[in-house]
Amino acid sequence: MLARSCLTLLLCCTSTLAAAKEPAQVAAAQGPVARPLAARNVEPANQSTPLIPPGREPDLVPPDYKRDWQSEQRFLQAGTGASWALAGLGTIGMAIPLGMLNRCNQAADRGAMIDCSQERRTAGIMAPILGVLTIAAIVPAVMFTRRLVKHDDKKPGKQRRTAFGVSTGGLALQF
């Protein structure tokens, strides 16, 4: 049994050393007949190729998670767009009656005899209503935008990055 183990170990070491030799050394050791065969062998025989090509990592994210993430992404995008659109319309709608009122006041200051009662009534009704609409639309717009940014950070397959910032307890390092 000991003899068989020693012989196996000797053969293993011999074959490992033979595989480690350069092809030119093997050809020189075998003589002139083996040189044409050794000249063809350009690459070492023990060079391995990667199983996964570089840049083509396997997709480990389940399809259900991707589908849920995309539906949440669409919901947040729609909420963000609608909220900012209402905030913009409210701002424009509030600026128009106030602009009409300003134009009427400037004309009255120059001494023109203009009846501004209709403009004052329109501005008095529309400006506060649209001002409240603007404020009421900005709050969810900011919240939807914040949720959308945080949701984008959780994209499936996205590489995480280290972030350094200030939090309520002091400095924060997030991984």
Side-chain angles (χ1 to χ4, degrees):
M1 183 75 166
L2 180 64
R4 187 187 309 168
S5 298
C6 290
L7 186 59
T8 304
L9 185 60
L10 180 65
L11 286 173
C12 179
C13 290
T14 306
S15 62
T16 304
L17 290 174
K21 286 186 180 180
E22 292 290 327
Q25 292 173 346
V26 173
Q30 291 177 351
V33 176
R35 279 195 184 128
L37 294 174
R40 286 188 213 157
N41 188 7
V42 177
E43 291 185 50
N46 61 353
Q47 186 177 16
S48 64
T49 59
L51 296 175
I52 301 172
R56 304 267 327 224
E57 289 79 24
D59 189 15
L60 301 176
V61 180
D64 292 342
Y65 183 74
K66 284 183 182 179
R67 187 177 57 242
D68 292 344
W69 186 88
Q70 288 173 344
S71 66
E72 180 74 13
Q73 175 82 2
R74 284 191 300 269
F75 169 74
L76 291 173
Q77 286 174 341
T80 303
S83 298
W84 283 113
L86 284 175
L89 287 174
T91 303
I92 292 170
M94 186 176 61
I96 290 173
L98 291 178
M100 289 176 8
L101 185 61
N102 185 31
R103 185 185 54 134
C104 187
N105 287 340
Q106 285 178 355
D109 288 344
R110 286 188 298 236
M113 298 301 283
I114 297 176
D115 182 24
C116 294
S117 60
Q118 185 62 33
E119 284 83 5
R120 290 184 197 284
R121 184 177 302 125
T122 303
I125 294 171
M126 294 300 291
I129 292 172
L130 292 173
V132 170
L133 172 69
T134 303
I135 293 170
I138 285 178
V139 172
V142 170
M143 291 172 56
F144 271 117
T145 304
R146 184 173 180 270
R147 282 180 57 194
L148 184 63
V149 168
K150 285 193 171 277
H151 185 71
D152 284 343
D153 290 341
K154 296 176 185 175
K155 184 174 184 175
K158 183 178 179 182
Q159 296 292 329
R160 301 274 179 185
R161 61 180 175 86
T162 305
F164 181 76
V166 179
S167 68
T168 55
L171 299 177
L173 182 62
Q174 297 174 349
F175 294 99

